[in-house]
Amino acid sequence: MEPPLVRPSDAETARELANVVAEPLLPAEKWLIGGSLALGAALLGLLLWISRTYFPVGS
Amino acid sequence: MKSWLRTEDILAVILGLLIVAMSLCSLAGANVLGWAVSVKEWADPAKALVPASSAYAGLTGPGALVATFVFLIVVLSAGAKFLCSDPARFAGRFSLLFVFAFACWVIGHNSYIAATPNRRPPGVGWSLGLTGEAGYLLALLGGLAIGNLFPRVATWFKEAARPELFIKAGIVVYGAVLGAKAAEEAGRTHAILFRGLAAIIEAYLIYWALVYLIARKVFGFSREWSAPLASGISICGVTAAITTGAAIRARPVVPVMVSSLVVVFAVIEMLVLPGLAHWLLPNDPMVAAGWMGLAVKTDGAAFSSGEIVAAFYFPDPADPGRKAMALTTTTVKVFIDVFIGVWAVVLSAIWSWKIDKREGGKLPWREIWERFPKFVFGYALTFGAFFFLGQASPESIADLKRGTEQADVFRRIFFVLTFVSIGLATNVRRLWAEGLGKLALVYVVSLFGFVIWIGLAISWLFFHGVPAGGR
């Protein structure tokens, strides 16, 4: 990654942020958030099981 | 040459591979890097510097320092030319940067600062016991002082103070060092690699969704702001924010603004989390190592935090526990960097097909590739080559480890240059700059409210009980 060449000033950043308009969550965004969290929860169990079964560690 | 090849990432890989290759000449009997300067704990300043190889003892410490400086300035100035910068201007600025960073590094090795109680030399009745890694912290604090008290000086240094270049070159070198070490214990290495991958998959899926939700619903940010914010805060700071910005075709100014805060918070994490990890997890070094990779943003800050936390647990630089911890932090962070590309493709597809529908629904593959952190290929190459060589021929492991010792001297120098460069680039006043409050607030709430704690929990789930193998 290359560092950004031109960094906006604080005033420009503040202006940009002041212009941010709230947008309602679209169904696709809800699906993305919910799907990501659900997949995370489901995979947690699976990955832990694989870790402990196939990649055990001694003490 | 294609423009995406002329990047700090590619230069870092070239530098790292060059140093590893030179170091390996020792296996063929040619001591090509033995003149590099190594810093030792010292009570007598005359004993602070020594050549890396005893074969160059006649060079003396100061001679080795000069040789190291000349090598670095020649190689890095050529690198500046490669990046289309002015080599002469780079060389002038780098010279002062090197002197400052090295002075911090040497002072940090003073016995009164570094020596642990069991390793105090005769005549030293007390010591802070911070280990030689105190030099890194001094470099960071020195850089911060200059960057914030003398911002014009920091701007002057900007041409040479390149934390991403230094840390990535160091990590490519570290790949060889860790690969040779990992080959000794293949079972544990496989476990660390898989568990590291599992941990970052979990972290991505949970962190990103939560930060995005909070940015959108609680703070009222638009989609264009929320996606880079979620990636920047939750995943890997600057790289993730900029790659995500490209994936969703946000205006370039958005991820750049997010990135400017990422660096500030990364420094706060560097200063706080290693000590906190040691305090919270006194008997779980591998959990602490994984936590640094999962919680500290930006490559430089994360790898550096891993180095500091390893020193807390294993003060002796030669302790094998340090390398096991470094392997864990590095594995987690490199997988995170790889996953930035995967996540960018996922976001790009969702944005192109469902949210910001474009004609033909084409994904911005080229933009994503250009922003992908390519140094991970260099790390994978050096780690993989040394690991598999050691696996294929166990009797060669000792030689491989010896061969990488001199390269590791340069890895440490790159790390200390990273610390001072991060300090120089960090403007803490941005935290209270007018109008940035909302941006800073979403960062504080997300990072300290749940990102670092979820990272701790995930690291504990996957690394608790994994032995570091230290003394």
Side-chain angles (χ1 to χ4, degrees):
Chain A
M1 191 277 309
E2 288 305 284
L5 293 177
V6 182
R7 176 168 290 176
S9 67
D10 288 350
E12 287 168 323
T13 307
R15 234 184 350 261
E16 279 287 338
L17 284 169
N19 290 334
V20 171
V21 180
E23 302 161 336
L25 271 178
L26 296 175
E29 291 176 277
K30 290 178 185 168
W31 178 87
L32 174 64
I33 295 166
S36 184
L37 290 173
L39 188 61
L43 279 180
L44 183 60
L46 177 67
L47 291 171
L48 277 174
W49 177 77
I50 295 175
S51 294
R52 286 167 190 183
T53 306
Y54 296 103
F55 299 95
V57 286
S59 56
Chain B
M1 186 181 284
K2 290 185 178 176
S3 63
W4 64 263
L5 277 173
R6 286 185 180 273
T7 62
E8 287 188 350
D9 260 51
I10 300 296
L11 178 59
V13 173
I14 294 170
L15 284 174
L17 292 180
L18 171 73
I19 289 169
V20 170
M22 290 175 76
S23 179
L24 278 182
C25 289
S26 64
L27 297 182
N31 195 343
V32 179
L33 279 185
W35 43 262
V37 68
S38 182
V39 182
K40 304 290 181 192
E41 266 185 36
W42 57 275
D44 174 4
K47 294 181 179 169
L49 307 177
V50 291
S53 164
S54 56
Y56 284 82
L59 186 61
T60 73
L65 177 60
V66 171
T68 305
F69 170 72
V70 170
F71 173 77
L72 281 175
I73 206 157
V74 168
V75 170
L76 290 173
S77 296
K81 174 99 176 147
F82 174 81
L83 294 176
C84 303
S85 294
D86 179 352
R89 220 163 67 145
F90 173 88
R93 286 157 171 75
F94 178 79
S95 302
L96 283 181
L97 186 80
F98 179 86
V99 168
F100 182 72
F102 213 84
C104 294
W105 183 229
V106 172
I107 292 168
H109 277 76
N110 177 267
S111 294
Y112 286 100
I113 297 173
T116 48
N118 59 329
R119 292 167 61 91
R120 281 180 198 143
V124 176
W126 63 273
S127 61
L128 297 175
L130 296 176
T131 77
E133 275 60 26
Y136 291 140
L137 290 177
L138 283 179
L140 177 65
L141 293 173
L144 276 172
I146 294 175
N148 288 276
L149 299 176
F150 310 101
R152 286 186 182 176
V153 178
T155 305
W156 185 82
F157 271 121
K158 203 172 175 184
E159 184 92 18
R162 295 171 177 260
E164 294 285 310
L165 171 65
F166 298 140
I167 195 68
K168 288 171 180 175
I171 288 300
V172 173
V173 173
Y174 220 5
V177 178
L178 296 178
K181 168 71 186 156
E184 282 183 321
E185 294 167 272
R188 189 175 60 172
T189 301
H190 288 139
I192 290 173
L193 291 176
F194 180 79
R195 287 162 184 253
L197 176 64
I200 70 102
I201 290 172
E202 282 303 320
Y204 258 92
L205 292 172
I206 297 170
Y207 284 168
W208 196 93
L210 286 178
V211 179
Y212 186 79
L213 181 65
I214 285 175
R216 294 281 284 116
K217 292 293 284 184
V218 178
F219 289 92
F221 279 101
S222 63
R223 284 181 281 278
E224 184 190 36
W225 276 91
S226 298
L229 256 177
S231 295
I233 297 172
S234 68
I235 303 173
C236 186
V238 176
T239 311
I242 290 180
T243 310
T244 299
I248 67 162
R249 297 183 197 270
R251 288 168 299 145
V253 71
V254 173
V256 170
M257 288 176 188
V258 173
S259 303
S260 67
L261 271 186
V262 169
V263 178
V264 178
F265 280 101
V267 167
I268 296 171
E269 287 185 285
M270 274 172 86
L271 291 171
V272 173
L273 287 193
L276 182 63
H278 190 227
W279 181 66
L280 286 176
L281 306 158
N283 301 313
D284 246 332
M286 298 295 264
V287 177
W291 190 25
M292 294 305 105
L294 287 169
V296 181
K297 309 305 158 200
T298 83
D299 293 322
F303 293 128
S304 305
S305 299
E307 190 75 357
I308 293 172
V309 81
F312 280 144
Y313 284 92
F314 301 107
D316 180 358
D319 196 309
R322 270 205 190 191
K323 293 218 167 55
M325 288 184 73
L327 176 63
T328 304
T329 305
T330 310
T331 297
V332 167
K333 199 65 192 166
V334 167
F335 276 137
I336 283 178
D337 282 341
V338 171
F339 226 76
I340 286 172
V342 176
W343 196 247
V345 172
V346 170
L347 293 180
S348 170
I350 292 171
W351 252 254
S352 294
W353 297 334
K354 296 288 182 187
I355 292 175
D356 183 19
K357 294 174 187 167
R358 297 163 200 137
E359 202 173 328
K362 287 184 181 169
L363 306 188
W365 291 104
R366 189 169 166 221
E367 286 87 341
I368 292 171
W369 167 248
E370 283 180 353
R371 287 159 180 79
F372 182 79
K374 297 168 200 70
F375 84 100
V376 297
F377 297 121
Y379 176 79
L381 179 67
T382 52
F383 180 85
F386 278 71
F387 180 67
F388 288 115
L389 272 175
Q391 285 276 281
S393 168
E395 63 276 11
S396 69
I397 292 176
D399 286 338
L400 290 173
K401 285 172 71 177
R402 189 165 45 82
T404 56
E405 277 171 12
Q406 292 170 5
D408 203 37
V409 169
F410 282 93
R411 192 265 306 170
R412 289 170 181 273
I413 295 173
F414 282 132
F415 271 37
V416 76
L417 287 167
T418 303
F419 273 86
V420 77
S421 300
I422 288 176
L424 285 169
T426 304
N427 180 358
V428 294
R429 277 172 293 197
R430 285 191 74 78
L431 287 179
W432 50 86
E434 194 180 348
L436 299 190
K438 196 163 97 167
L439 202 58
L441 192 59
V442 67
Y443 211 117
V444 169
V445 168
S446 301
L447 185 66
F448 298 107
F450 61 88
V451 165
I452 60 172
W453 307 117
I454 292 175
L456 174 58
I458 292 173
S459 186
W460 193 88
L461 284 171
F462 287 100
F463 291 108
H464 175 62
V466 178
R471 291 193 284 264

